[in-house]
Amino acid sequence: MSERFNVYATIGLILLYKGKVLLMKRCNTGYMDGKYALISGHLEGGESLKKAMVREAKEEINVDVKESDLNYACVIRRGDNNNYFNFYLSCQNFKGDIKNNEPEKCEEIKWFDLNALPQEMIPNDRKAIFNFVHNVSFEEYNF
């Protein structure tokens, strides 16, 4: 009998303020270091997507977001990493001063215009922002 296929879930936050999105520049993680990414993380067992995003926002950038202010933006699954479903939520309201709580994994945090994203960016996160702006709720690619 073959082993059952397992999937994993990540969550990413499209945090918006005055037409800009907050991105973090990754470092020392072993995955896409030097590229900008959304605030993100893995879903933990027994945790809803919104609860996970509230947790990650506090852990990574020291801000409080309410579950009621989070909106489902899109889901992406890529064939080159088909064990993962990447869920994205958007939010325009947060409390607290943004702070890099993980300087060992994040070189800098910056706001970028939605129409002028940095060249060096994680492809999935770039697609998620594009899909959010264009109301595309689901995408599969590279299968």
Side-chain angles (χ1 to χ4, degrees), residues 3 9 26 42 49 61 64-66 68 78 95 111 121 129 131 137:
E3 192 172 319
R26 298 175 63 87
H42 285 87
L49 294 173
I61 59 170
D64 295 308
V65 294
K66 292 181 185 177
S68 58
R78 9 181 265 270
K95 288 193 177 168
W111 292 101
M121 189 171 170
I129 293 168
N131 289 353
S137 60

Side-chain angles (χ1 to χ4, degrees), residues 84-137:
Y84 276 88
F85 280 85
N86 306 108
F87 295 88
Y88 295 91
L89 293 92
S90 67
C91 184
Q92 295 188 46
N93 299 313
F94 61 91
K95 288 193 177 168
D97 295 324
I98 293 170
K99 177 185 170 213
N100 183 358
N101 277 350
E102 299 180 327
E104 70 283 359
K105 295 194 268 184
C106 173
E107 190 175 316
E108 70 175 355
I109 300 171
K110 270 176 87 170
W111 292 101
F112 288 90
D113 188 284
L114 285 169
N115 298 311
L117 298 174
Q119 188 69 30
E120 292 298 315
M121 189 171 170
I122 290 179
N124 245 33
D125 288 356
R126 180 184 299 281
K127 279 186 175 286
I129 293 168
F130 178 89
N131 289 353
F132 168 73
V133 168
H134 294 91
N135 294 313
V136 175
S137 60

Side-chain angles (χ1 to χ4, degrees), residues 19-41:
K20 296 186 180 215
V21 63
L22 189 69
L23 299 177
M24 308 173 76
K25 191 171 188 181
R26 298 175 63 87
C27 67
N28 304 317
T29 67
Y31 178 75
M32 301 262 180
D33 291 330
K35 296 192 184 286
Y36 284 95
L38 294 165
I39 290 86
S40 61

Side-chain angles (χ1 to χ4, degrees), residues 77-85 139-143:
R77 184 176 183 225
R78 9 181 265 270
D80 60 336
N81 193 3
N82 68 41
N83 285 60
Y84 276 88
F85 280 85
E139 180 176 2
E140 270 187 328
Y141 69 97
N142 284 348
F143 276 90

Side-chain angles (χ1 to χ4, degrees), residues 9-75:
T10 65
I11 41 123
L13 180 62
I14 301 171
L15 188 63
L16 304 163
Y17 182 72
K18 294 185 178 179
K20 296 186 180 215
V21 63
L22 189 69
L23 299 177
M24 308 173 76
K25 191 171 188 181
R26 298 175 63 87
C27 67
N28 304 317
T29 67
Y31 178 75
M32 301 262 180
D33 291 330
K35 296 192 184 286
Y36 284 95
L38 294 165
I39 290 86
S40 61
H42 285 87
L43 191 65
E44 294 179 358
E47 190 174 49
S48 72
L49 294 173
K50 288 186 175 185
K51 281 190 187 334
M53 198 70 269
V54 167
R55 175 182 51 78
E56 288 290 346
K58 189 65 170 176
E59 285 176 7
E60 293 188 7
I61 59 170
N62 200 49
V63 298
D64 295 308
V65 294
K66 292 181 185 177
E67 286 184 51
S68 58
D69 288 331
L70 291 166
N71 299 296
Y72 297 105
C74 69
V75 178

